[in-house]
Amino acid sequence: MLAIIGGTGLTRLKNLNITHRQVIRTPYGEPSGALMYGEINGHHVVFIARHGYGHTIPPHEINYRANIWALAEQKVTRVVSVCTVGGIREDLPPGTIVLPNQIIDYTHSRKHTFFEGGDKPVTHVDFTEPYTPKLRSRILQAALVAKQRVLDGGVYAATQGPRLETAAEINRIAADGGSIVGMTGMPEAALAREAGLSYAAIAVVANWAAGRGDSLHKVDLRLAENVFEDAIEHVHRILEALVKVDGD
Ligand code: HPA
């Protein structure tokens, strides 16, 4: 089954017909909320709001392990993460939808692995391609079918937050090769890989990153609200097409 993890601006899927909710307890604590089971145009999906349904959990306090564990336990095989990011590259203004293909992890102090504690074998999962290529292709195909423009590829820089970055930090991330910056991409992607789930992200650029575009001296997350809401509408259309090309 396909799962969708909704980020900022996507605490519910408006085209999801909810059939039931399930509260899952995990060995890692509480997930961000109940899993919402439902159908989009007759196709089964499960949804969870990463920041909680009232958007109360900040990026560094999200229980990523509990969320991924709960989905894996419910026989989810594919996870599409919808996330909000700042645009670093000149060609990625607010409103752009990016399907990143790489990650640089700048987060710290997060519970980032299932493989810890004496009872677990030493395990090093391959993470060369952090987003599952096949799932990425399906999302690209869905975007094409839904006639929605998405940018194929980009480096997602995951920062710790909750504060936004300094302009110098963004310059450093750009020099490292980062295209977009967000606070929730890791360890979520790595945990999905450890749990054996396919995982890909649809990143919506909500603002220019610090020191870029109209964020030269200050990042004002409200500035591009309309553009962002439009982009979320496009994401809904992509997801509707995805459930069709993805099947159950
Ligand atoms: N930086 C980090 N995370 C974000 C940003 C940003 O500029 N915009 C949305 N999420």
Side-chain angles (χ1 to χ4, degrees), residues 94-236:
T96 312
I97 299 175
V98 185
L99 247 59
N101 63 337
Q102 276 298 334
I103 297 176
I104 301 176
D105 187 8
Y106 299 95
T107 66
H108 52 84
S109 325
R110 297 184 181 188
K111 296 281 189 191
H112 63 287
T113 180
F114 291 115
F115 297 113
E116 64 178 18
D119 56 331
K120 307 271 170 43
V122 176
T123 305
H124 305 285
V125 292
D126 173 61
F127 206 42
T128 312
E129 293 192 286
Y131 300 107
T132 309
K134 191 167 161 202
L135 186 54
R136 281 192 76 251
S137 320
R138 285 196 172 169
I139 300 172
L140 282 171
Q141 195 191 336
L144 210 67
V145 169
K147 299 190 172 57
Q148 302 299 320
R149 269 192 58 182
V150 297
L151 200 115
D152 178 8
V155 179
Y156 180 109
T159 53
Q160 173 66 6
R163 67 164 178 84
L164 290 156
E165 300 71 34
T166 66
E169 284 168 339
I170 292 298
N171 286 340
R172 173 189 164 207
I173 291 169
D176 285 352
S179 328
I180 50 179
V181 58
M183 300 174 191
T184 56
M186 284 293 282
E188 195 174 86
L191 290 165
R193 180 62 53 86
E194 285 189 351
L197 306 178
S198 293
Y199 181 94
I202 302 177
V204 181
V205 180
N207 57 282
W208 282 111
R212 299 286 202 264
D214 60 12
S215 301
L216 205 54
H217 300 294
K218 187 180 191 318
V219 177
D220 185 348
L221 290 175
R222 289 163 313 178
L223 219 55
E225 253 169 23
N226 288 346
V227 182
F228 178 67
E229 276 161 25
D230 273 1
I232 289 289
E233 193 54 47
H234 297 303
V235 171
H236 278 292

